[in-house]
Amino acid sequence: VQYVIYSNQYPTGLKRLDAGEVVVGDGGYVLQLERRGYVKAGHWTPEAAVEHPEAVRQLEREFLRAGADVIQTFTFYCSEDKLELSGNVSNITGAQINNAACDLAREVADEGGALVAGGVSQTPLYVKKGSENEVKAIFKKQLDDFLKKDIDFFMVEYFEYVGEAVWAVEVMKTGGKPVGATLCISPDGDREGVPPGECAVRLVKAGADIVGINCHLDPLTCVRTVKLMKEGLEKAGLKAHLMVQPLGFHTPECNIGGYVSLPEYPFALETRIITRWDVHKYAREAYNAGIRYIGGCCGFEPYHIRAISEELAEERGFLPPASTKHSLWASTLETHTKPWVKARAGRQYWENLLPASGRPKCPSMATFISIRVLGHISVPLMETSSLWEIKKETSIDEHLVED
Ligand SMILES: N[C@@H](CCSCCCCC(=O)O)C(=O)O
Ligand SMILES: [Zn+2]
């Protein structure tokens, strides 16, 4: 592999995806910056773009250095209604956050020939039954801010209801640039049971150029859901690029509510963090599934993104700058003073290691009761509110709800 660091010769926009090339996404921001003391959990609003730009810039730079070809604007949960609801930003407006976040992402992306994605996400208004016009007006406000800045494409991310994501795509598409759309759903479908394949069809018909999954579930489950989306598109005779930006946590027991349903969410997820070697397996699985935009979401740190870049170095033809301080498959351990650590220098050891959690009294999985609705959606008991939402929406009779 010719190790060209920072390939600035990339054409912009979708050209690389159209050419079948791999685009490495960035990782998670709000959870990472919460752990660093710059984001308040709960509402997770991104005022740090104005209050602590140095913290956002540094994390974006680390993702770039790890090989990210896209830097998403730090504008997650930056809808006016979310900001008002949070009470976190009485003296900072959504426009100020959007402007600062766009400038930061552009500044960092230009340091390494990366693209900037202007991101919008789900709104509290939608679940409060806001009308289509009211919800679309919220996305339009963010779009107007983005259009004043130098953005390469738009990202519609972290939607649990495909209906709301379709509205977001329809608005962002009026911005005249490519639109990527990712849902945070399980293989069982969205919050109302719309199957992943149908979700993908609706998103592409709304104008999405890239469709996929982000957040809520572990890497391999998210790849499985994107495969279902791909099948749905193929059945409908539709085409779109595929993307996946999963959690950096193991969540084998989760389903429709994802990691938010777990007892460990959000402050005790550490034992579930995936290793860089899990990421190698994920990146290869995603690539083999035909997914070409491969990144991460909550829990994905820069070293995880570097592992995507290293697993796909042959396909990309280069390694990222951060690999100058790493070595493929731990060969750097050959220099260790301890012979038993030296002996771990190699793929065989790390690829087959089953790492212990170090917590003898802890269960390997959370124990929560799920209610299976109509035999296909399992809703964790603590999420019965969403069960009744589904019941109301789809008039499920009592006797059809199996424990
Ligand atoms: N692009 C965003 C995605 C965040 S995904 C969701 C995290 C919050 C979940 C919740 O509302 O509890 C980021 O990287 O922070
Ligand atoms: Zn996330």
Side-chain angles (χ1 to χ4, degrees):
V1 177
Q2 287 304 314
Y3 294 164
V4 172
I5 299 297
Y6 275 151
S7 165
N8 290 356
Q9 290 72 37
Y10 274 137
T12 55
L14 292 178
K15 293 192 187 87
R16 287 173 36 215
L17 288 173
D18 290 344
E21 291 191 22
V22 170
V23 168
V24 174
D26 52 8
Y29 289 93
V30 287
L31 260 69
Q32 275 71 336
L33 288 168
E34 189 279 330
R35 281 153 177 67
R36 290 166 169 80
Y38 297 104
V39 164
K40 198 167 189 179
H43 288 296
W44 304 101
T45 44
E47 63 273 12
V50 175
E51 294 172 328
H52 299 286
E54 74 287 352
V56 177
R57 182 185 297 115
Q58 177 58 29
L59 183 53
E60 290 177 344
R61 273 187 175 145
E62 290 175 30
F63 285 131
L64 182 80
R65 187 171 155 77
D69 297 310
V70 177
I71 299 297
Q72 292 188 211
T73 55
F74 187 55
T75 52
F76 178 73
Y77 276 167
C78 194
S79 60
E80 287 297 327
D81 60 332
K82 182 73 174 181
L83 293 172
E84 279 154 32
L85 184 71
S86 73
N88 292 344
V89 285
S90 52
N91 58 338
I92 301 174
T93 65
Q96 285 173 304
I97 297 171
N98 288 327
N99 294 343
C102 289
D103 290 343
L104 283 166
R106 174 49 64 200
E107 174 192 347
V108 172
D110 286 353
E111 293 171 0
L115 303 176
V116 172
V120 297
S121 46
Q122 62 178 255
T123 65
L125 184 60
Y126 183 81
V127 283
K128 289 179 192 159
K129 302 295 173 224
S131 71
E132 180 174 346
N133 288 340
E134 288 168 326
V135 173
K136 283 186 166 181
I138 289 179
F139 297 128
K140 183 71 170 56
K141 265 194 177 173
Q142 277 195 275
L143 173 64
D144 290 344
D145 290 339
F146 292 157
L147 289 175
K148 295 175 190 137
K149 297 291 180 180
D150 182 6
I151 303 289
D152 293 302
F153 66 100
F154 299 118
M155 186 71 77
V156 160
E157 65 156 347
Y158 194 72
F159 284 83
E160 298 174 85
Y161 297 87
V162 66
E164 187 184 18
V166 162
W167 290 352
V169 170
E170 287 170 347
V171 170
M172 301 317 281
K173 202 62 190 170
T174 64
K177 297 173 187 280
V179 176
T182 55
L183 305 179
C184 49
I185 65 171
S186 79
D188 273 342
D190 84 341
R191 271 277 180 205
E192 290 168 335
V194 179
E198 173 57 23
C199 289
V201 167
R202 293 187 195 177
L203 290 169
V204 170
K205 284 184 174 173
D209 305 280
I210 314 167
V211 296
I213 297 293
N214 83 293
C215 206
H216 270 197
L217 292 159
D218 60 86
L220 296 184
T221 302
C222 288
V223 170
R224 190 149 54 89
T225 310
V226 177
K227 282 180 180 173
L228 294 171
M229 291 179 122
K230 183 182 176 192
E231 284 167 21
L233 291 173
E234 284 165 351
K235 264 193 211 121
L238 294 171
K239 274 190 166 310
H241 296 293
L242 300 171
M243 71 179 287
V244 63
Q245 303 208 110
L247 286 183
F249 304 112
H250 291 289
T251 60
E253 70 274 52
C254 285
N255 197 332
I256 190 166
Y259 75 146
V260 178
S261 308
L262 286 171
E264 296 86 2
Y265 180 82
F267 297 136
L269 290 163
E270 284 79 354
T271 47
R272 292 172 177 265
I273 294 175
I274 60 176
T275 68
R276 62 191 75 188
W277 315 116
D278 293 325
V279 175
H280 276 268
K281 289 184 185 131
Y282 147 63
R284 186 52 55 190
E285 183 73 19
Y287 185 84
N288 291 344
I291 302 168
R292 289 294 176 270
Y293 186 147
I294 303 170
C297 199
C298 300
F300 255 78
E301 291 281 353
Y303 75 95
H304 290 123
I305 297 300
R306 180 176 62 190
I308 297 174
S309 304
E310 292 186 346
E311 174 61 26
L312 301 174
E314 295 277 348
E315 288 76 6
R316 285 174 19 115
F318 67 92
L319 280 166
S323 290
T324 57
K325 294 296 178 187
H326 194 234
S327 59
L328 293 186
W329 296 102
S331 53
T332 184
L333 295 181
E334 282 156 5
T335 62
H336 200 278
T337 53
K338 301 285 185 292
W340 59 86
V341 176
K342 234 191 239 287
R344 295 173 195 158
R347 179 170 190 160
Q348 174 77 16
Y349 176 82
W350 296 105
E351 214 166 32
N352 297 294
L353 178 71
L354 293 176
S357 72
R359 297 170 185 268
K361 293 189 178 158
C362 288
S364 61
M365 285 195 256
T367 49
F368 55 75
I369 302 163
S370 288
I371 302 173
R372 291 199 67 74
V373 174
L374 287 183
H376 74 274
I377 296 183
S378 68
V379 181
L381 197 55
M382 66 279 284
E383 282 218 337
T384 43
S385 58
S386 48
L387 171 72
W388 306 131
E389 270 171 37
I390 292 169
K391 181 170 173 290
K392 214 167 48 244
E393 293 295 317
T394 48
S395 65
I396 293 170
D397 298 330
E398 207 67 35
H399 71 281
L400 287 181
V401 175
E402 316 141 26
D403 280 350

